[in-house]
Amino acid sequence: MSASEDTLRYVTEAADVLALPPRIRKLLTTPERELKVQVAIERENGEVAVFSGYRIQHNKARGPYKGGLRYHPEVDADEVQSLAALMTWKTAVANIPYGGSKGGIACDPGKLSERELERLTRAFVGKIHEFIGPQVDIPAPDVNTNAQVMAWFMDEYSRLHGFSPAVVTGKPVDLFGSEGRDEATGFGVVVATERALALENRPVAGVRVALQGFGNVGSHTARILAEKGAKVVAVADHTGGAKRAEGLDVPALLDYARKNKGGVGGFPGGQPTTSPETLAADCDVLIPAALGHVLTKENAAAVRAKWIVEGANAPTTPDADAILRKRGVTVIPDILANAGGVTASYFEWVQNLQQHRWGREKVLDETRGVLARAFDTVAGIVREKKLAWRTAAFVVALGRVAKAVALRGL
Ligand code: NAD
């Protein structure tokens, strides 16, 4: 099953609960615009390389399109479409005034020099700039893109359209970025984890956590959880992993990853482990924070965690989700659990438009407020309608977008 078919299954389930009419369903499941462009750059060695780039705008009923930009060899139209739809549902659950979109370039950034990455980013902006903008569609960082990529993006767009800091979020703090944005997704994953545990009277302190992925989302999640007294018992990424039943020394792991291009493989403070082993680690909370579709029907039965908090987008396939539901594992879905990033991005955009700056505490406090309200709204639906968390989150999201679509008219 393709990535977009997976997302469609979750959407259909929620649409059934809401008894949405077919005409609204059709509008909610069809992306409004799909761009595919060829991005050509000259490599350092003088050769020309051509990459496929995508920007898919799913729905703007509730506000401008908003969604990340991913650089990865597996980026394709189907994956981007599924991620664009998830953004519509995520901004709706968080109740921030945006729609959903996503973009990406099929490339391996590890094989490109810094200058090539800059050229690629600027060339991509050249191809899509007429279809994005501060009031139209606002990209942000995702897998393998960071604040530097956003800085090039903003600069190139501003060259074409005049000074436009609000065209992307996740920029460097020294270039119209926001304090708190970098850590906001991990911060939000922790807010969701805390609230999910609190429903069963479990404090975060002492809880055993395993994480897959130690990039932007995984590393901040691990850091904040460790600061709150959780035991991070296993971490794995594409370079390897480390486990320790008594809990890894997270500050030492962060330091190690910083010195090893972000990778945790070979960390001396624990026994070596792998990514598949980490998904089945002996822990209370499992946090997938790398790529999508890692929990499947083949490995879902092996998960030992009681809670899964989805830091990554679409880490659980519908078949795995069904198995986990049957087994009584509480899955806090991506559109709720990792909405901290887009929420802080929203505050960055607000600051750019108002030409004003907020401090880190204000950004994180406001982000916490948005996420807590979203969590409590979804929790209310879980209780009232006896639904799984994912279905309840989609019910909240679809309900809001359907209402906006109906009010706007065709
Ligand atoms: P990143 O590029 O900073 O980190 C990606 C991590 O995934 C790295 O630790 C990498 O080693 C790991 N990884 C890649 N391939 C792997 C593999 N085959 N096995 C194990 N680990 C692997 O990206 P990120 O921004 O942290 O994003 C991670 C996930 O979170 C993605 O699904 C992304 O869509 C989602 N997300 C990110 C944000 C954000 O603000 N950055 C917001 C919401 C959701």
Side-chain angles (χ1 to χ4, degrees), residues 70 90 142-144 181 185 213-217 237-238 275 289-291 311-313 338:
R70 178 177 290 201
K90 193 180 300 181
D142 192 70
V143 174
N144 293 329
R181 169 61 184 92
T185 308
F214 204 66
N216 174 282
V217 180
D237 68 8
H238 74 287
S275 212
L291 298 178
N313 283 315
N338 70 35

Side-chain angles (χ1 to χ4, degrees), residues 211 214 222 226 231-274 278:
L211 286 121
F214 204 66
K231 277 194 221 170
V232 176
V233 295
V235 172
D237 68 8
H238 74 287
T239 65
K243 61 178 178 183
R244 187 167 180 267
E246 307 76 39
L248 296 160
D249 179 343
V250 174
L253 185 61
L254 286 163
D255 195 43
Y256 179 86
R258 244 190 310 271
K259 291 175 181 153
N260 290 279
K261 291 184 178 168
V264 299
F267 176 63
Q271 294 160 291
T273 186
T274 61
T278 300

